[in-house]
């Protein structure tokens, strides 16, 4: 079974897998950044020096190199997000980590094909949060993907610890977006919207109401077709389905964002949820930006093939 001690994952703002050339571009950019002189391999002597310099002058970054089972890279990513990152998100909210992210090459080639990267808050790294992390881990319930656990989906190839020296790098800004375009409001909004949809997906996978409450407005409505029958729920009625226990088969559902369209302070996100080769739902979410935050205000769904 793959496990992570959290001595070895940067921004949780990328909840969906990137594809093809962009994946390879991101990994190449990451490896270039790791060669910058701000990062140094962590060891006993450098650790002592970093601590003497003070926690504000250096912080630990851990990298876990993964190799997926053949054809299982996407499922391995889903497992990491539903389990490792579910715990990491709690740690970030508690101020234990600075950030976490998944990178992958998009193929099965090579001795490794994915990296999980975590940035800690200071030079103590995992040792500074070990007690708090054990509590987070003890409270987590494993989410299996298509019935598979970690050992079925991949393995850890190598773990590395490095120190990042102040001034600290903003990795999200350092990695260029696809096509070499600079950051703009549209791409930032789409990333924020995808993060909200990621919360919705997380709630569906885990059965936890917290991510659903973060993604939706309390006044949201949910409507859909079951056969020819229209089903309508208020948000309070809808959130009761999320009782902390995943629905049967929740881990086997393929969840994808097929399109995001933004117009000013409103946006739509089109989703495809596939339950089996012959059964799927097409969903459309309406989102509004309220006080700078995107929230789902309406969800509709219809059966699809």
């Amino acid at each position: 079974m793959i496990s992570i001690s959290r001595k070895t994952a940067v921004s949780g703002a990328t909840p969906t897998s990137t594809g093809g050339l962009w994946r390879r571009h991101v990994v190449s950019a990451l490896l270039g950044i790791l060669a910058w002189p701000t990062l140094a391999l962590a060891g006993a002597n450098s650790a002592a020096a970093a601590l003497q310099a003070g926690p504000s002058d250096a912080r630990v970054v851990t990298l876990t190199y993964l190799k997926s089972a053949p054809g299982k890279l996407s499922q391995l990513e889903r497992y990491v997000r539903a389990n490792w990152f579910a715990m990491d998100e709690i740690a970030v909210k508690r101020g234990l980590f600075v950030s976490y992210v998944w990178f992958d090459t998009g193929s099965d080639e090579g001795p490794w094909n994915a990296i999980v990267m975590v940035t800690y808050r200071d030079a103590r790294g995992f040792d500074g949060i070990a007690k708090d992390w054990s509590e987070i881990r003890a409270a987590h319930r494993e989410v299996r993907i298509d019935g598979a656990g970690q050992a079925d989906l991949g393995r850890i190839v190598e773990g590395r610890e490095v120190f990042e020296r102040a001034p600290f790098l903003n990795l999200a800004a350092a990695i260029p977006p696809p096509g070499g375009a600079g950051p703009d409001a549209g791409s930032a909004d789409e990333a924020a919207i995808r993060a909200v949809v990621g919360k919705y997906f997380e709630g569906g996978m885990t059965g936890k109401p917290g991510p659903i409450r973060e993604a939706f407005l309390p006044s949201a409505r949910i409507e859909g077709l079951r056969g020819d029958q229209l089903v309508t729920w208020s948000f309070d009625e809808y959130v009761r389905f999320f009782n902390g226990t995943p629905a049967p088969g929740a881990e086997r559902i393929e969840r994808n964002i097929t399109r995001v369209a933004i117009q000013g302070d409103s946006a739509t996100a089109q989703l495809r949820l596939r339950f089996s080769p012959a059964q799927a739902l097409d969903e459309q979410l309406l989102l509004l930006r309220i006080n700078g935050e995107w929230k789902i205000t309406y969800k509709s769904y219809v059966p699809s093939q």
Side-chain angles (χ1 to χ4, degrees):
M1 178 176 179
I2 295 176
S3 63
I4 189 164
S5 69
R6 271 305 171 243
K7 294 191 100 170
T8 324
V10 206
S11 167
T14 310
T16 57
S17 174
T18 53
L21 292 173
W22 170 229
R23 278 178 171 161
R24 290 189 284 276
H25 178 70
V26 168
V27 172
S28 296
L30 170 65
L31 294 177
I33 288 166
L34 293 180
W36 292 1
T38 55
L39 293 176
L41 288 174
N45 293 335
S46 56
L51 287 171
Q52 288 175 2
S56 63
D57 296 325
R59 62 189 185 188
V60 167
V61 179
T62 58
L63 300 100
T64 304
Y65 292 79
L66 302 169
K67 178 66 174 180
S68 67
K72 301 291 187 181
L73 179 59
S74 176
Q75 290 169 295
L76 178 61
E77 179 185 2
R78 287 165 55 198
Y79 187 95
V80 168
R81 294 191 182 282
N83 292 281
W84 296 11
F85 284 6
M87 293 184 283
D88 291 350
E89 181 182 10
I90 296 171
V92 168
K93 289 181 177 179
R94 294 185 182 180
L96 308 179
F97 295 169
V98 174
S99 51
Y100 57 91
V101 75
W102 165 280
F103 296 96
D104 69 65
T105 64
S107 77
D108 287 342
E109 299 175 2
W112 56 268
N113 58 350
I115 301 173
V116 172
M117 181 173 176
V118 162
T119 301
Y120 289 86
R121 61 186 177 185
D122 57 37
R124 295 173 298 170
F126 179 79
D127 292 340
I129 68 156
K131 180 179 178 181
D132 294 305
W133 176 258
S134 65
E135 295 174 358
I136 294 171
R137 179 156 187 157
H140 178 72
R141 179 175 177 176
E142 182 188 31
V143 178
R144 297 175 70 85
I145 303 300
D146 300 331
Q150 297 181 79
D152 306 307
L153 302 176
R155 59 188 174 86
I156 294 176
V157 175
E158 183 180 358
R160 296 184 183 181
E161 258 189 16
V162 295
F163 281 116
E164 182 181 2
R165 311 292 183 179
F168 296 128
L169 171 68
N170 180 348
L171 186 60
I175 296 178
D184 56 58
S187 61
D189 281 335
E190 180 166 347
I193 289 166
R194 287 179 177 271
V196 171
V197 177
K199 288 290 183 185
Y200 164 54
F201 284 169
E202 180 186 343
M205 291 178 67
T206 64
K208 296 177 181 178
I212 299 297
R213 293 188 184 278
E214 289 185 51
F216 285 78
L217 281 177
S219 58
R221 294 194 67 79
I222 294 87
E223 296 185 308
L225 293 177
R226 291 188 175 177
D228 296 329
Q229 183 71 35
L230 174 66
V231 178
T232 301
W233 293 300
S234 68
F235 178 72
D236 285 341
E237 293 169 329
Y238 178 65
V239 79
R240 289 179 192 144
F241 292 108
F242 301 86
N243 60 7
T245 301
E251 76 283 358
R252 296 192 296 273
I253 300 172
E254 294 183 8
R255 300 169 171 85
N256 294 291
I257 302 173
T258 58
R259 184 172 182 267
V260 174
I262 305 169
Q263 185 170 5
D265 290 330
S266 67
T268 57
Q270 296 177 3
L271 317 178
R272 169 68 60 87
L273 276 64
R274 180 159 295 283
F275 302 87
S276 70
Q279 184 184 16
L281 285 179
D282 285 334
E283 299 190 348
Q284 180 160 295
L285 307 179
L286 174 63
L287 300 96
L288 293 177
R289 179 167 41 199
I290 301 171
N291 297 324
E293 287 191 287
W294 288 98
K295 295 288 186 179
I296 301 169
T297 66
Y298 182 80
K299 166 188 161 178
S300 66
Y301 63 91
V302 295
S304 181
Q305 297 297 320

